[in-house]
Structure formats: C-alpha cells, structure tokens
Amino acid sequence: MLVVKQLEDLFKATLLVLIIVAVVADLPVVVSGVDDVRRTDFPDTFVFGAGSSAYQVEGAAFEDGRTPSIWDTFAHAGIYGGANADVSCDAYHKYKEDVKLMADMGLEGYRFSISWSRLIPNGRGLINPRGLQYYNNLIDELLNHGIQPHATLCHSDIPQALQDEYGGWMSRKIIDDFAAYADVCFKEFGDRVLYWTTLNEVNVFTIGGYDNGLTPPNHCSPPFGIKSCSTGNSSTEPYIVAHNILLAHSAAVRLYRGKYKSTQHGFVGLNLFAYRPLPYTNETADIIAVQRVYDFYVGWFANPLISGDYPDIMKKNVGSRLPKFTREESTQVKGAIDFIALNHYQTVHVKDSSSSLDSKIRDYNDDGAFEIIYTDEDSPPGQIEYPVTQPGLGDILEYLKQAYGNPPIYIHENGQLTRRNATLNDTSRVEYLQAYIGNLLDAMRNGSNVKGYFTWSFLDCFELFDAYGSAFGLYYVDLDDKDLTRYPKFSAYWYSNFLKGKDSKHTALVDIEDKLHSSQ
Ligand SMILES: *[C@@H]1O[C@H](CO)[C@@H](O)[C@H](O)[C@H]1NC(C)=O
Ligand SMILES: *[C@@H]1O[C@H](CO)[C@@H](O)[C@H](O)[C@H]1NC(C)=O
Ligand SMILES: *[C@@H]1O[C@H](CO)[C@@H](O)[C@H](O)[C@H]1NC(C)=O
Ligand SMILES: *[C@@H]1O[C@H](CO)[C@@H](O)[C@H](O)[C@H]1NC(C)=O
Ligand SMILES: *[C@@H]1O[C@H](CO)[C@@H](O)[C@H](O)[C@H]1NC(C)=O
C-alpha cells in the first residue's frame, strides 16, 4: 500500500512539474537526439531488453542439486558483511511471474546467464536434470511470450569444485571443461537460443578477481589488494587468467562453428566492460594515456580476437609476465568472435602515470601507466547517481568502429546506479536511459554496427560490489516481504512506453496516471 501511495504521489508531482515545464518554453536541449528518441528510429531487427545473471537473481542456491560457485564462496566468506544471494530475488521459483512482467512491459529480449554449477554440479561430467529443466522452462517461457533469449555461459560463477580441484582459471585444464560445458548448453538449448555470450566482463573479472581482490575468487598480493586476500599474485595472475579465458572462449566458439552453427545458425560473442575515458588534462601525456586505457581494458581481449595477438603496448609494458600465443593458439583465437558485447556505465578521466613503470613490482594499473580518476564531473560530490549530461557510449562505439573494423555489437549492460531502497521515483534512471539511448541512436546514425541494447538490470538484484546496497533495476524487489514482490519503478513505465511506441515522456506519464486511476 505504501508503495502504491508513493507511486501516486510521484506521478501527481511529476505531472505538475511537466505542466510547469510546458509553460517555460524553449528549454535548452542538453543532448542531441534525446528528447524525441523513439523505438521506430531503430531497425526492426534491433533488440531492446533488460538483463540479469544467475547468481544475482536466481536464489535457490542449495536446491535441486546445485553446488556452490566461486561467487557463493566469496559471499559466504563474509566479504559482503554477511549478505549473500542464497535467496536474492528467487527467480528460480518466480521465473513465470518475471517473464509475465517482461512481456507486459514489452521487453523484446532478456539477457540471463546459466549457472554452470546448477547444470553440471561437479563442473564436468553428469548433467543435473533439474538444472536442465529449469533453463528449458525459462527459455520456453520467454519464447512463448515472444521474448528473445540471450544467454551467457559464465557470469563470474565457475563451479567451486573446479576452483578447488585445479585453481579454476589459473589452470589450462579449465579450457576443456569450459568447452564441454558450452557443448552441453549448445546441444540442449541451442535449438532455441541463438545469441550466446561465453563470459561476462572478462576484464573486470580478471582485474577484480586476481589483481585487487575485490571480486570472486578474491586473489591478490601485497601491496595491490583492495580487499585482503589469502592467496594470489597481482603481477602475474591477471594475465594468465585472461590468456586462459581467451583460449577457453575461442575453444567454445570453434566448437559451435564446427558442430552447431550450420544447423542452429546462432552467434557467439564475448562481453567486455568499458569506461569512456577522457584525458584529465589536455597535456599530450594524458591524451596518450587514454589510448592505453583502451588498449589495456578492451584491446587486451579484442586485439587477440580480431587480429591474433595482444596490443603492442601490453607486450612492451608487461614484458615476460604476459603469456605468449603460440602460432596455433593465435590462429584459434583470431576471428573467434561473432559480436562484441559491451557493458558501459560512465565516463572517467585518465591521468598519465608513466613513473609507475619504474616500480620493480607492478600490477595491471602500473603496467598500463595510467590512473583512473573520477572527477566531480564524472561523479558529482554527494551524489551516487551517474551524471547524464554527457553520455559517452557513442565515443566508445566510435572507437570500436575505427579500431576494429566496425564489428557487430550488443550493449549488454547500461543503466543508472541508485541506492537500493523503497523509492519508486527513479527519475534519474529515466533521464539516464533517455540520454544513453539517444546517444546510442546518434552513434548508429553515424554508422556504428549495434544490434541490441539491454539495460542493467531487470530487477534490483544482488550486486557485484555491494550486494544489496546499490540497485540498477527497473523493478524494486521488497526483500523484507516473504513473497519478494516486484514493484515497477518510474523507469519500468518509461521503458515500457518507449518500447511500445508511446514516445514522449509526457505521453508516458499521462498513461501511467490513467493506469493508477483505473487500478483504484
Ligand atoms: C521524484 O523525483 C524528482 C527528481 O528528484 C522530483 O523532482 C520529484 O518531486 C519526485 N517526486 C516525488 C513524488 O517524490
Ligand atoms: C609473482 O610471480 C612472479 C613470477 O613468478 C614472482 O617473481 C613473484 O615473486 C611473485 N609474487 C608473489 C607475491 O608471489
Ligand atoms: C581540452 O581541450 C578541449 C578543446 O579545446 C576543451 O573542450 C576541454 O575543456 C579541454 N580539457 C581540459 C581538461 O582542459
Ligand atoms: C533512498 O536513497 C536516496 C538516495 O540515497 C535517498 O535520497 C532517499 O531518501 C532514500 N529513500 C529511502 C526511503 O530510504
Ligand atoms: C562519425 O563517423 C566518422 C567516420 O568514422 C568519424 O570521423 C566521426 O568522428 C564520427 N562522428 C562522431 C560524432 O563520432
């Protein structure tokens, strides 16, 4: 009830604001193409959706044969102050309700991930029939509602069994196990899933997991850890892990192309996180450092996949700590990508720190010789939300277009950060979506080959860095309610109206006002 009341107040207040705004004519347009962005401006074949990942929403962590992933272990070690995703949004049991919400709001696609340890509890070998059933049910439910499934095979959550057995991504043994897991997914689900992503945010996974220790599996070594770690080597492990990831990814792509592509006709990509980096000053050193940020974050994975080897600057700065591709590996990796999936949230500023190359013990940031700075413009003081005045998605897309020959791209994550609490008035999320989708349209009109856009996230879920502290959802999930009721935020209504072709913000709000009245 409280929530309904809030929503009602919200829209009364917003309508009032709109009336006032209408009187003040000729408001400055901050970002081009934004105010009038429409679904019909994008191709029919383009897909708009929202996303999630297995550990972050499923819950049922110990049910029906699932075993822990490295993320369960990380959470249960108390790193989130006791919070974990044992239950989270309980999407394992509530998938029908969720798919109904997606269909009602007009989502065209849903990006989810498969929990490896739910499907194959020991990491390799026997398939868990109840895991198989769950993903079959979810995929069928989506398709029955006309929603395109986009599946990720691994979203930071490899089976703990493989971490224990041979050190997970630190061992080359994972390449065969990952390919075998991918084979099961392609075989079982590939008749219905056409869009596959092998691994999510591989650069963040590698840096967070093996350099600063902030994310699973929490490896790092002094002086580089931000969290404390019991094991690791920040100078070497990130590069070894990234190398094994590239080999595992390309093994899965090769398998798909050899065994499934001709009958299933799907596509396999890899997901990368990217900031939009701007120079901290206009000094040449900072401008050159921006290129190093692109090379270290994006080129680390994209260069091998597009041209068969790491960027020259990485080979130079990392030296013997950077694994080398054999001729055969290079051939396997080169071209092993049908699309690049991109997660992007915000602009940062970049400062040269070439002096860090003088240190004897170096990590990834030292090797990159850059410092990432959040200026007041990137992250206004006292405000948790990302600013929306200068969306930089178009800049990254332009960079990818020029550096890599305009590859097909899916935006897999983009969304506004707020505190997770009961307010449904997420005006800043609506402004963010408008600004970024408008910016995306501008980039596409200038030739960028983008095929789809998924906002992060469908539901407020368990977040990577702070569990239930922050939220990105279109829907608020009340964790204190045993039914884990989902409540649409302003952004859910806005996105829905955008998708259904009710374009202007004004129309959207009048429509919501009607809905509120008719539901009373
Ligand atoms: C919703 O948020 C906007 C922007 O912060 C504010 O202007 C408006 O008054 C809020 N409405 C309610 C009902 O809180
Ligand atoms: C990390 O590995 C390198 C190369 O094997 C070694 O020289 C260095 O001492 C290791 N550092 C730690 C903290 O173990
Ligand atoms: C760098 O130069 C550009 C173009 O002259 C200007 O818009 C920008 O504000 C400058 N940036 C800084 C940090 O001085
Ligand atoms: C929710 O978080 C925002 C931003 O931190 C804050 O302004 C607001 O008061 C909070 N609302 C509740 C109900 O906690
Ligand atoms: C549009 O594309 C052209 C060709 O790639 C490029 O030179 C130009 O900078 C792009 N414009 C923007 C705003 O990115």
Side-chain angles (χ1 to χ4, degrees):
M1 272 324 282
L2 178 74
V3 173
V4 174
K5 177 80 177 71
Q6 258 189 26
L7 198 62
E8 194 180 344
D9 289 350
L10 160 62
F11 293 115
K12 277 191 194 136
T14 319
L15 277 177
L16 186 65
V17 170
L18 274 176
I19 291 160
I20 295 166
V21 165
V23 173
V24 187
D26 296 324
L27 283 174
V29 176
V30 183
V31 187
S32 78
V34 166
D35 288 337
D36 55 354
V37 63
R38 290 155 199 265
R39 173 61 183 95
T40 49
D41 293 330
F42 293 83
D44 284 347
T45 52
F46 194 87
V47 59
F48 275 102
S52 72
S53 92
Y55 184 67
Q56 291 173 277
V57 299
E58 280 180 6
F62 308 105
E63 257 180 80
D64 288 352
R66 182 182 180 277
T67 64
S69 71
I70 56 172
W71 206 342
D72 295 73
T73 307
F74 183 77
H76 279 269
I79 293 178
Y80 297 110
N84 58 57
D86 290 358
V87 178
S88 186
C89 305
D90 199 24
Y92 185 70
H93 295 110
K94 295 171 83 74
Y95 70 93
K96 283 193 176 172
E97 179 186 325
D98 287 341
V99 173
K100 172 104 174 40
L101 291 178
M102 291 175 211
D104 287 350
M105 76 179 291
L107 285 194
E108 300 159 4
Y110 180 52
R111 171 181 179 247
F112 63 97
S113 80
I114 295 170
S115 160
W116 184 345
S117 64
R118 193 185 290 291
L119 191 61
I120 307 178
N122 293 325
R124 90 171 76 80
L126 288 183
I127 298 172
N128 171 15
R130 282 172 294 188
L132 191 61
Q133 187 66 55
Y134 172 65
Y135 293 108
N136 273 324
N137 288 347
L138 174 62
I139 291 162
D140 289 344
E141 195 73 11
L142 290 166
L143 289 171
N144 287 339
H145 285 83
I147 299 167
Q148 218 176 69
H150 287 242
T152 298
L153 296 175
C154 186
H155 196 115
S156 303
D157 58 350
I158 67 159
Q160 182 64 36
L162 301 183
Q163 190 73 22
D164 294 342
E165 185 183 327
Y166 52 67
W169 287 109
M170 277 299 289
S171 166
R172 290 200 168 214
K173 289 184 180 163
I174 194 133
I175 299 165
D176 286 347
D177 285 341
F178 183 75
Y181 162 57
D183 198 0
V184 169
C185 294
F186 297 150
K187 176 167 177 284
E188 298 290 344
F189 311 125
D191 56 332
R192 288 154 293 154
V193 175
L194 293 180
Y195 304 94
W196 294 101
T197 299
T198 52
L199 295 132
N200 178 65
E201 264 182 18
V202 284
N203 43 5
V204 168
F205 176 77
T206 309
I207 301 161
Y210 295 89
D211 178 5
N212 60 41
L214 274 176
T215 61
N218 182 229
H219 282 211
C220 60
S221 62
F224 303 110
I226 295 178
K227 296 261 196 238
S228 69
C229 306
S230 58
T231 180
N233 185 332
S234 301
S235 302
T236 55
E237 288 193 355
Y239 301 113
I240 296 167
V241 165
H243 200 73
N244 291 339
I245 282 176
L246 281 161
L247 296 175
H249 160 84
S250 56
V253 171
R254 191 158 63 167
L255 179 98
Y256 188 83
R257 288 179 179 170
K259 202 166 162 185
Y260 298 102
K261 178 90 179 175
S262 65
T263 51
Q264 297 184 350
H265 311 293
F267 306 90
V268 190
L270 181 74
N271 180 294
L272 299 174
F273 166 89
Y275 293 117
R276 180 259 214 123
L278 291 178
Y280 186 66
T281 70
N282 276 333
E283 281 169 35
T284 312
D286 287 349
I287 292 168
I288 294 172
V290 165
Q291 178 60 44
R292 285 201 301 278
V293 168
Y294 273 124
D295 284 330
F296 272 73
Y297 273 89
V298 175
W300 192 7
F301 295 89
N303 281 36
L305 290 167
I306 307 281
S307 45
D309 202 0
Y310 292 115
D312 288 340
I313 188 72
M314 288 194 78
K315 292 200 273 190
K316 177 164 176 265
N317 289 8
V318 185
S320 63
R321 286 174 291 120
L322 189 70
K324 289 185 179 54
F325 290 107
T326 64
R327 189 183 295 251
E328 195 192 329
E329 286 170 355
S330 169
T331 308
Q332 177 183 312
V333 169
K334 184 175 174 179
I337 192 155
D338 295 326
F339 60 86
I340 293 178
L342 185 68
N343 293 357
H344 170 69
Y345 290 92
Q346 73 170 130
T347 294
V348 294
H349 282 75
V350 177
K351 218 168 134 169
D352 171 75
S353 69
S354 290
S355 60
S356 59
L357 289 170
D358 300 334
S359 322
K360 265 197 89 181
I361 306 178
R362 305 208 296 262
D363 75 341
Y364 169 89
N365 280 300
D366 293 342
D367 293 331
F370 52 70
E371 197 185 332
I372 302 276
I373 294 175
Y374 301 89
T375 63
D376 288 355
E377 193 184 309
D378 307 326
S379 179
Q383 182 186 314
I384 176 167
E385 286 95 358
Y386 300 129
V388 297
T389 45
Q390 294 187 316
L393 182 56
D395 271 12
I396 302 173
L397 293 171
E398 184 59 29
Y399 178 81
L400 295 174
K401 182 172 108 184
Q402 294 190 16
Y404 300 110
N406 207 13
I409 291 179
Y410 283 88
I411 310 300
H412 264 178
E413 292 184 19
N414 176 247
Q416 177 61 294
L417 167 71
T418 55
R419 287 249 168 263
R420 184 196 177 102
N421 59 26
T423 181
L424 299 176
N425 183 9
D426 63 342
T427 308
S428 75
R429 183 164 292 109
V430 170
E431 286 168 352
Y432 183 99
L433 291 174
Q434 280 187 299
Y436 276 82
I437 292 173
N439 187 236
L440 168 63
L441 179 61
D442 288 344
M444 289 174 66
R445 285 182 167 156
N446 199 32
S448 275
N449 191 12
V450 186
K451 305 288 191 188
Y453 173 95
F454 294 81
T455 189
W456 184 266
S457 50
F458 175 55
L459 304 173
D460 283 354
C461 63
F462 182 90
E463 281 296 336
L464 179 61
F465 291 107
D466 65 352
Y468 302 111
S470 61
F472 293 83
L474 301 173
Y475 283 79
Y476 167 69
V477 179
D478 186 353
L479 298 175
D480 295 329
D481 165 3
K482 70 170 173 34
D483 293 330
L484 295 166
T485 306
R486 283 85 162 116
Y487 295 96
K489 302 182 196 173
F490 181 19
S491 57
Y493 288 106
W494 180 83
Y495 199 40
S496 175
N497 280 319
F498 166 74
L499 294 174
K500 292 177 179 174
K502 297 170 189 164
D503 309 293
S504 78
K505 203 170 174 180
H506 205 131
T507 317
L509 289 170
V510 170
D511 192 60
I512 295 157
E513 178 80 352
D514 284 349
K515 267 197 196 110
L516 281 171
H517 283 305
S518 62
S519 69
Q520 276 163 10

